[in-house]
Amino acid sequence: MSITSFVNNIAKITLSTPYAVGDVNVYLIKGDVLTLVDAGPLTETAWGQLSAALATLGYSPGDIEQIVLTHHHPDHAGMLERFSESVKIIGHPYNQYWINRDEYFHRVYDDFFYRLGVESGLPEAYLSAVSKFKSPLKYMGNRALDGVVMEGEALPGLPDWKVIETLGHAQSHLSFFRESDGVMIAGDHILAHISPNPIIEPPFEGGIERSKPLLQYNRSLMKLMDIPVSFAYTGHGKEVEDVHGLIPKRMAKQEERAKAVLEMVQGKRQTVFELCRHLFPAVYKKELGLTLSETIGQLDYLESLGSIRKEKGDSAFHYYA
Ligand SMILES: [Zn+2]
């Protein structure tokens, strides 16, 4: 756990998580309403760390008036249920499905990933692992969303903070921008040390079409080029000072990864699963959901450029150059 003191009304608090990503950053903002941006995972350790950090800053969890979410992942939104009912939970409307999971959530989730598994060419033995994609939700409580904010709106009680929709890493991802000094709270949209995973999610709002998170992510990244960001607080690790310098580097890296995937597809028709095994030989078994998402992201990207096409076989899609 670590904390910084307030700088221009923002204090950064770093909490442990049980996930491979390591620590998560949450932010306390002083304004008309005492606001916490993200809440950390639902663990006793994180709750103890957060309470201690708030005490150092002169507050207690009972003083928090609202929690604003950058996105619904359990390392960011897990701990919501530990706060009193009077605390308003605010975020993108899509958070609702994930932070307050019901029967509908589980049915849509399980059906979607089973179908995605079949279409990706997963062998029978792996299809049973599909339900384990949900296991990170172990550290996420259940708590309803109290209010929604959309692109361009100001945060409640924080009139100088504007909402910027930055979908890609999650279908609920928002960043928050303070025009007066160009400071952004970027969640996992921008990270100093890595690119966030473009994670595939079920279409909870109807239909069977899945999102194309990597294409979405690239668009959300380019969107920041038009916004005068001077400094970005991130969801994990250090702040980013040169956001506009980092974005072209990330896009170039993305281009490089896609090129490697294109080479694999050239000369040999392949399913998502076959490519996934080649791309991530050391981790695909352990992190099947994430590595499938990553592989499909690259394929969506190459398809959008017209470099590859897919054709449906008996059950799985086969990709070819
Ligand atoms: Zn995260």
Side-chain angles (χ1 to χ4, degrees):
M1 191 260 290
S2 71
I3 36 169
T4 65
S5 47
F6 283 100
V7 179
N8 289 328
N9 294 323
I10 308 173
K12 174 182 177 183
I13 301 172
T14 304
L15 307 172
S16 312
T17 82
Y19 301 113
V21 69
D23 295 348
V24 67
N25 302 323
V26 305
Y27 296 92
L28 188 65
I29 306 183
K30 278 195 285 193
D32 300 338
V33 171
L34 187 66
T35 303
L36 190 62
V37 176
D38 289 344
L42 183 62
T43 65
E44 282 309 317
T45 306
W47 180 252
Q49 291 172 334
L50 180 64
S51 306
L54 290 174
T56 307
L57 294 164
Y59 297 99
S60 77
D63 295 322
I64 305 287
E65 295 173 274
Q66 68 180 4
I67 299 174
V68 174
L69 296 173
T70 60
H71 61 300
H72 66 257
H73 290 166
D75 46 340
H76 300 262
M79 205 141 63
L80 300 177
E81 71 171 32
R82 291 293 299 257
F83 289 83
S84 128
E85 286 291 318
S86 62
V87 178
K88 296 261 176 294
I89 313 294
I90 313 282
H92 187 286
Y94 211 73
N95 282 294
Q96 175 66 19
Y97 297 101
W98 293 88
I99 67 172
N100 200 16
R101 300 175 303 289
D102 57 10
E103 229 176 275
Y104 172 79
F105 171 90
H106 290 287
R107 192 177 67 237
V108 173
Y109 189 106
D110 294 345
D111 290 352
F112 173 79
F113 277 109
Y114 186 82
R115 195 168 63 94
L116 188 75
V118 170
E119 288 179 349
S120 300
L122 284 195
E124 200 59 41
Y126 287 86
L127 278 175
S128 58
V130 162
S131 61
K132 291 194 198 115
F133 292 180
K134 268 190 292 193
S135 59
L137 296 175
K138 190 171 139 197
Y139 302 104
M140 176 128 103
N142 264 292
R143 175 71 191 263
L145 196 65
D146 297 303
V148 299
V149 282
M150 314 285 267
E151 172 81 11
E153 289 179 4
L155 288 176
L158 299 171
D160 44 347
W161 286 91
K162 294 272 166 352
V163 174
I164 298 171
E165 195 176 73
T166 46
L167 306 184
H169 176 59
Q171 295 304 309
S172 60
H173 203 292
L174 301 177
S175 301
F176 309 109
F177 181 60
R178 188 166 61 187
E179 264 163 351
S180 58
D181 60 359
V183 168
M184 177 174 267
I185 296 181
D188 287 358
H189 186 51
I190 295 271
L191 299 171
H193 54 302
I194 44 164
S195 289
N197 296 303
I199 297 175
I200 288 185
E201 293 178 26
F204 287 111
E205 279 170 353
I208 52 166
E209 264 319 288
R210 65 170 174 83
S211 56
K212 295 191 171 173
L214 186 60
L215 301 185
Q216 238 179 359
Y217 179 73
N218 289 344
R219 277 197 299 273
S220 298
L221 209 48
M222 292 314 290
K223 189 175 173 181
L224 298 193
M225 292 302 280
D226 298 327
I227 298 169
V229 184
S230 63
F231 186 86
Y233 286 107
T234 61
H236 304 274
K238 287 202 174 72
E239 294 70 49
V240 176
E241 292 192 26
D242 184 13
V243 171
H244 290 177
L246 182 65
I247 290 171
K249 285 185 202 154
R250 287 289 155 78
M251 294 300 282
K253 185 90 198 176
Q254 154 61 31
E255 199 62 49
E256 218 177 279
R257 281 198 208 109
K259 224 178 124 196
V261 176
L262 180 60
E263 279 165 15
M264 287 182 190
V265 176
Q266 275 162 344
K268 189 173 183 268
R269 283 175 169 246
Q270 299 199 56
T271 65
V272 171
F273 181 66
E274 285 163 346
L275 285 163
C276 183
R277 272 194 321 193
H278 285 137
L279 285 167
F280 307 101
V283 289
Y284 80 94
K285 278 186 189 157
K286 200 165 161 267
E287 292 285 358
L288 188 58
L290 277 183
T291 53
L292 282 178
S293 270
E294 191 70 44
T295 306
I296 293 171
Q298 300 298 335
L299 292 168
D300 285 345
Y301 178 70
L302 288 169
E303 234 187 321
S304 78
L305 298 177
S307 309
I308 61 166
R309 287 193 183 160
K310 66 172 184 267
E311 204 174 74
K312 195 144 187 190
D314 284 343
S315 52
F317 283 109
H318 296 264
Y319 287 83
Y320 60 98

